[in-house]
Amino acid sequence: ADAWFLTKAGMRYHFVHEPKLSTPNSLVYTLREIREPNGNSLKLDYLNQDRDPATLDSITEIDSVGVPKRGFQLSYTNVFKEPRIITLRGFNHQGSPDLLGLEIRYSYDDFANLTNVVRVGTTPADTRNEIYRYTPGSDPYGHNMLEYIDANGSITSFEYGLPGVKGYYDLGM
């Protein structure tokens, strides 16, 4: 079963029923294509690499006459019992096969918090590194982002008040 959703701007979203993710009480659809009014589209493939219909494996740009152009390939690993993206690689059907070497790597801690994003460069000087740090612990107050360090070394810090204090993110505890 397919479903197309159309916006006022003429964008079309194509969803396909995914039986492997559905239950008797709930039908699950995955987004397979996004098409703009001129006919150019993005094809989303969930079964290209790992055969897990719950993970998006590739995104490919398709021109208005159906010719594949370029895209992204995603690789996953299980972190804290859930699949997490560990690599995004570019590919190109028109020129440079690897989209000029595009490769982004993702790292996570034992609690599945994103800790590091590296855009691999052709030289060490071209490599871009971003770091994320979180509050410790596995309780509801753990996993809050404390610090983000961008690729230029600039630091953004986050502070949280004490539990129960007005303004603190309260989880009803």
Side-chain angles (χ1 to χ4, degrees):
D2 289 14
W4 284 92
F5 290 92
L6 302 151
T7 68
K8 289 181 182 179
M11 296 291 292
R12 294 191 281 176
Y13 297 86
H14 181 209
F15 292 84
V16 175
H17 173 243
E18 181 51 67
K20 292 179 181 175
L21 299 176
S22 297
T23 67
N25 297 325
S26 175
L27 295 178
V28 175
Y29 288 79
T30 54
L31 178 62
R32 300 295 178 95
E33 181 182 357
I34 302 169
R35 189 178 307 166
E36 52 99 11
N38 295 323
N40 298 315
S41 66
L42 295 175
K43 176 186 171 194
L44 293 85
D45 192 336
Y46 297 82
L47 300 173
N48 186 3
Q49 197 172 28
D50 61 12
R51 298 292 177 211
D52 179 355
T55 59
L56 178 62
D57 296 331
S58 68
I59 304 165
T60 305
E61 176 188 10
I62 311 289
D63 71 14
S64 61
V65 294
V67 176
K69 296 293 186 178
R70 58 187 168 242
F72 303 119
Q73 187 80 39
L74 303 162
S75 300
Y76 296 82
T77 193
N78 281 336
V79 178
F80 210 64
K81 301 179 184 176
E82 294 292 332
R84 298 283 188 254
I85 298 171
I86 56 168
T87 308
L88 178 146
R89 287 187 176 92
F91 62 85
N92 192 348
H93 293 283
Q94 302 296 314
S96 162
D98 63 357
L99 205 58
L100 301 175
L102 177 63
E103 181 177 339
I104 302 172
R105 297 179 188 157
Y106 302 87
S107 300
Y108 305 87
D109 64 17
D110 292 337
F111 299 105
N113 295 312
L114 179 66
T115 58
N116 190 259
V117 177
V118 177
R119 180 172 179 168
V120 179
T122 53
T123 68
D126 293 335
T127 296
R128 311 290 287 162
N129 188 28
E130 297 177 1
I131 299 169
Y132 304 83
R133 294 197 177 107
Y134 303 88
T135 55
S138 60
D139 64 14
Y141 303 107
H143 314 291
N144 292 315
M145 187 181 292
L146 288 174
E147 198 170 67
Y148 163 70
I149 304 172
D150 72 16
N152 296 317
S154 297
I155 299 171
T156 302
S157 297
F158 303 89
E159 293 183 11
Y160 303 91
L162 297 173
V165 175
K166 187 175 180 175
Y168 186 86
Y169 181 73
D170 192 0
L171 297 175
M173 300 185 97

